Amino acid sequence: MNFSGQVALVTGAASGMGLLFSQAFADLGGRAVLVDRDEEAARARAAEIAEKHPKCAIAVGCDVRSYDGVVAARDKAVAAFGKIDILVNFAGGAETRICHASGEFPDIPIEVYDFGIDVNLKGQFYFDHAVMKQMRAQKSGVIVNIGSITGEEGSAWNVAYATSKSGVMNGLTKSLALYGSKYGVRCVCVSPGPVLTRPGMASMKTALGRAAEPDEIVNMILYAASEECAFLDGVNILMDGGRSIMRNKDY
């Protein structure tokens, strides 16, 4: 894969798979805009990438729950590099873990679920909306939404996360693909199963008997965003090690 001359705006890019994607994208010739709520961490990571690939990475602080902040991030990316070829929406996470909440569904404060929907659904929606305007003007671009096996399975504990990811995997991705096609803009979704970004992921069962390494998911996202996948549009790629096909009686 060759991303020479291309620009990727990556949310949740100060750590985890967002950072891995940004690093790999620069290694493959691209320029990365690292967007994260933790601006200081994003600046440090962007500086590390730029040290290896001069003038190929910048950082932008942004809370994905603020549409004004999202628009500002888009505009900073365009001001720095002139365009946005690829958007990848990594920012997100399970609301009960991030908000340190516990209990059954009716007992968890609604504010926790508001947070989950704002970050995992509206955050992706906001960036898709803002960046689509730029891509429409360019008449080109690729949007990669990030789903989750939880959006396929549901969750009794992280109901907002499951609801949000389901909406991203189906309605949002398909709708943007339908709209963007006439402007040369593709939209796909990559939905991981358990990934070893946190130790707890190793305990989730899969048909392959293991969780994914983070770079396995990142490689799929790079491929989906590349010219090698130019005919891929409007689909959800469920990369879950076969978890979705498992049956309790068999495992």
Side-chain angles (χ1 to χ4, degrees), residues 122-166:
K122 291 174 68 176
Q124 297 201 57
F125 196 108
Y126 282 178
F127 264 98
D128 289 352
H129 182 269
V131 173
M132 179 65 82
K133 187 172 185 178
Q134 174 65 28
M135 291 180 171
R136 180 181 64 181
Q138 298 167 182
K139 291 184 167 51
S140 65
V142 181
I143 294 172
V144 183
N145 293 325
I146 302 298
S148 169
I149 183 62
T150 307
E152 180 81 8
E153 294 178 333
S155 171
W157 310 112
N158 290 293
V159 178
Y161 183 77
T163 301
S164 298
K165 291 300 188 179
S166 180

Side-chain angles (χ1 to χ4, degrees), residues 9 18 26 35 42 55 68-69 80 84 86 112 123 132 152 179 212 223 226 240 251:
L9 190 159
V35 177
K55 299 181 179 180
D68 288 344
I84 302 171
I86 298 164
V112 173
M132 179 65 82
E152 180 81 8
Y179 173 77
Y223 181 57
S226 73
D240 68 344
Y251 289 88

Side-chain angles (χ1 to χ4, degrees), residues 129-243:
H129 182 269
V131 173
M132 179 65 82
K133 187 172 185 178
Q134 174 65 28
M135 291 180 171
R136 180 181 64 181
Q138 298 167 182
K139 291 184 167 51
S140 65
V142 181
I143 294 172
V144 183
N145 293 325
I146 302 298
S148 169
I149 183 62
T150 307
E152 180 81 8
E153 294 178 333
S155 171
W157 310 112
N158 290 293
V159 178
Y161 183 77
T163 301
S164 298
K165 291 300 188 179
S166 180
V168 167
M169 292 156 64
N170 293 287
L172 182 58
T173 296
K174 292 176 182 178
S175 296
L176 292 186
L178 286 168
Y179 173 77
S181 58
K182 63 182 177 181
Y183 296 107
V185 179
R186 296 192 292 118
C187 183
V188 299
C189 186
V190 175
S191 297
V195 186
L196 293 174
T197 50
R198 291 185 292 107
M201 292 287 125
S203 64
M204 290 181 66
K205 292 182 178 181
T206 69
L208 294 180
R210 65 176 180 88
E213 295 294 336
D215 60 354
E216 292 181 293
I217 306 300
V218 167
N219 287 340
M220 172 57 75
I221 295 167
L222 286 163
Y223 181 57
S226 73
E227 286 301 312
E228 281 77 7
C229 268
F231 202 56
L232 187 71
D233 196 19
V235 297
N236 176 51
I237 301 168
L238 188 59
M239 194 172 181
D240 68 344
R243 181 177 171 87

Side-chain angles (χ1 to χ4, degrees), residues 65-88:
R65 296 173 295 171
S66 165
Y67 185 71
D68 288 344
V70 168
V71 170
R74 176 202 65 194
D75 292 347
K76 288 176 183 177
V78 174
F81 295 127
K83 60 177 181 173
I84 302 171
D85 297 294
I86 298 164
L87 166 67
V88 190

Side-chain angles (χ1 to χ4, degrees), residues 1-15:
M1 289 176 285
N2 185 343
F3 291 103
S4 296
Q6 294 195 41
V7 177
L9 190 159
V10 187
T11 73
S15 62

